[in-house]
Amino acid sequence: MKKWYVAYVLSRHEKKTAERLTKMGIENFLPVQEEIRQWAHRRQKVTRVVIPMMIFVHATPQERAEVLTLSSVSRYMVLRGEHTPAVIPDLQMERFKFMLDYSEEAVEMCSTPLAPGEMVRVIKGPLAGMEGELVNVDGRSKVVVRLEMLGCAGVDMPVGFVEAVKYQ
């Protein structure tokens, strides 16, 4: 059965590694976002890697071993005190991918611990339908998706764009 893992890659080798994994037939996900960069005399659209030196791999145990044959991949993320690679739950990956695909704002990773926020559902804007937590960071409202091992992926969100989620 396939599971999501986090593989560490060499600095600035994320895109090439993703291409190689795809050619090998191994499903992977490299979180990137388009953004406009301003230099003195020009503006250019660039693709920014959201989590440098990491790539998500959706693999079977056999494929997981194949990934490590690439020279650009050093190892898998392992939780402290454990010996097997950490698995990211499918639901967290779905929410994270949805946020990256549909957010017009920059998605930022936050590794500092955030106090739990109220569970909300986005009801307006491009992220409508996504569920996450509403937290305050530096006085600004953000909707975050927790990726247990990596912290939180957050995006600025007007409070009027969300509603509280009530679970039965």
Side-chain angles (χ1 to χ4, degrees):
M1 192 174 117
K2 287 188 171 194
K3 294 181 181 175
W4 284 104
Y5 302 97
V6 179
Y8 290 108
V9 298
L10 296 174
S11 180
R12 303 199 181 280
H13 283 71
E14 300 92 351
K15 292 175 188 169
K16 274 275 184 251
T17 303
E19 286 173 22
R20 286 191 182 118
L21 288 170
T22 301
K23 281 182 183 162
M24 291 166 68
I26 297 174
E27 184 182 351
N28 64 84
F29 175 63
L30 178 64
V32 294
Q33 276 198 311
E34 300 273 316
E35 59 183 40
I36 304 290
R37 287 273 168 93
Q38 176 76 45
W39 284 273
H41 301 291
R42 65 190 175 102
R43 291 166 54 116
Q44 185 175 356
K45 188 183 275 193
V46 295
T47 303
R48 172 180 69 93
V49 175
V50 177
I51 311 173
M53 299 175 68
M54 290 185 187
I55 190 167
F56 295 90
V57 179
H58 196 220
T60 63
Q62 181 184 346
E63 289 172 331
R64 195 176 84 196
E66 286 178 45
V67 171
L68 294 174
T69 64
L70 294 177
S71 59
S72 59
V73 177
S74 59
R75 62 189 173 89
Y76 286 105
M77 176 182 283
V78 176
L79 294 179
R80 187 174 295 140
E82 294 191 14
H83 303 291
T84 56
V87 174
I88 299 201
D90 288 346
L91 182 61
Q92 290 178 11
M93 282 303 298
E94 286 171 31
R95 288 179 175 170
F96 181 50
K97 288 168 102 174
F98 182 85
M99 178 186 276
L100 282 165
D101 286 347
Y102 294 102
S103 177
E104 293 173 347
E105 302 290 325
V107 173
E108 295 171 1
M109 291 304 294
C110 170
S111 57
T112 55
L114 284 177
E118 183 179 12
M119 288 303 293
V120 294
R121 181 179 299 114
V122 180
I123 55 173
K124 289 184 187 168
L127 293 178
M130 189 185 95
E131 290 185 6
E133 290 176 57
L134 187 65
V135 297
N136 270 323
V137 179
D138 300 329
R140 300 192 351 242
S141 294
K142 287 188 181 283
V143 168
V144 297
V145 171
R146 287 189 193 271
L147 296 169
E148 300 300 329
M149 289 57 112
L150 300 172
C152 298
V155 65
D156 288 345
M157 183 67 56
V159 179
F161 277 40
V162 298
E163 67 180 8
V165 173
K166 291 167 185 57
Y167 292 107
Q168 277 76 3

